[in-house]
Amino acid sequence: MNETLRVIKRRRSIREYKPEQITDSELEAVLEAAIQAPSAMNQQKWHFTVIQNKDVLAKLTDVARESMKAGPEPMANRAAQPDFSPFYHAPTVIIITGDSTSRFVEIDCSLAAQNIALAAESLNIGSCIMTSPELIFESRKGAELLKELGVPDGYAHVCTVTLGYIDGDSPPAKPRNKEVFTYVK
Ligand SMILES: Cc1cc2nc3c(=O)[nH]c(=O)nc-3n(C[C@H](O)[C@H](O)[C@H](O)COP(=O)(O)O)c2cc1C
């Protein structure tokens, strides 16, 4: 197996992070990988908001807590935990937004997210691609925060990627269904 295949196989969604920050050169390498993703007609109608500021992460956590309070019981209970973090306490959070008028923008942004996750894995950095933060950005406060954070007008949240050094061991791979291939030779 070559290194690319090894990295693809090794990547897991990480939900426990060390508090120490990844280096700027690691972050730049990961972001460069993001924009190397293919995009429909090379439109690149994506935007990456990299958040490492603790106050901003705390603000996003407050908005998430508020939105989740009104949700189903397990969600409300999770948000009520004193150490709740919608981002699993990752020190770096990348919010990926895309131009809502662009037909394939969700695919473009998802490919960029996977590039981020794989580049991170290749650098021994953990990641988790998440859609649940959309709860934050659906709320009025969350939408205002997106604007304050410089997300371009007309761009909406597609997914968020958490990044950080893994605390402990990477979890084992969840089983994959292998009955999903049809060969037409
Ligand atoms: C579109 C998408 C949305 C996801 N949203 C979340 C999420 O909100 N929270 C979370 O903890 N994991 C989320 N995940 C991670 C999946 O749970 C994870 O990829 C899956 O369980 C397989 O595990 P693995 O990534 O470790 O192989 C998401 C993954 C994808 C592709």
Side-chain angles (χ1 to χ4, degrees), residues 17-80:
Y17 295 95
K18 292 183 178 164
E20 71 190 277
Q21 190 55 271
I22 62 170
T23 67
D24 286 347
S25 65
E26 287 168 334
L27 177 63
E28 289 313 314
V30 161
L31 294 176
E32 177 60 29
I35 59 170
Q36 290 302 328
S39 64
M41 292 183 290
N42 194 30
Q43 285 195 331
Q44 305 175 52
K45 296 273 182 89
W46 46 40
H47 190 81
F48 304 88
T49 307
V50 181
I51 305 178
Q52 296 184 320
N53 180 294
K54 287 189 177 147
D55 294 337
V56 173
L57 289 173
K59 264 192 202 174
L60 289 166
T61 300
D62 286 344
V63 180
R65 194 180 275 121
E66 197 59 32
S67 309
M68 288 168 73
K69 243 173 34 186
E73 203 179 315
M75 191 190 265
N77 288 344
R78 190 180 152 223

Side-chain angles (χ1 to χ4, degrees), residues 115-131:
N115 268 16
I116 290 173
L118 293 177
E121 179 60 44
S122 76
L123 297 167
N124 292 315
I125 292 167
S127 69
C128 186
I129 296 173
M130 307 174 71
T131 49

Side-chain angles (χ1 to χ4, degrees), residues 158-180:
V158 175
C159 61
T160 291
V161 188
T162 55
L163 289 179
Y165 301 127
I166 305 172
D167 191 12
D169 292 329
S170 192
K174 293 178 185 165
R176 260 42 180 187
N177 175 16
K178 308 253 171 161
E179 308 299 316
V180 291

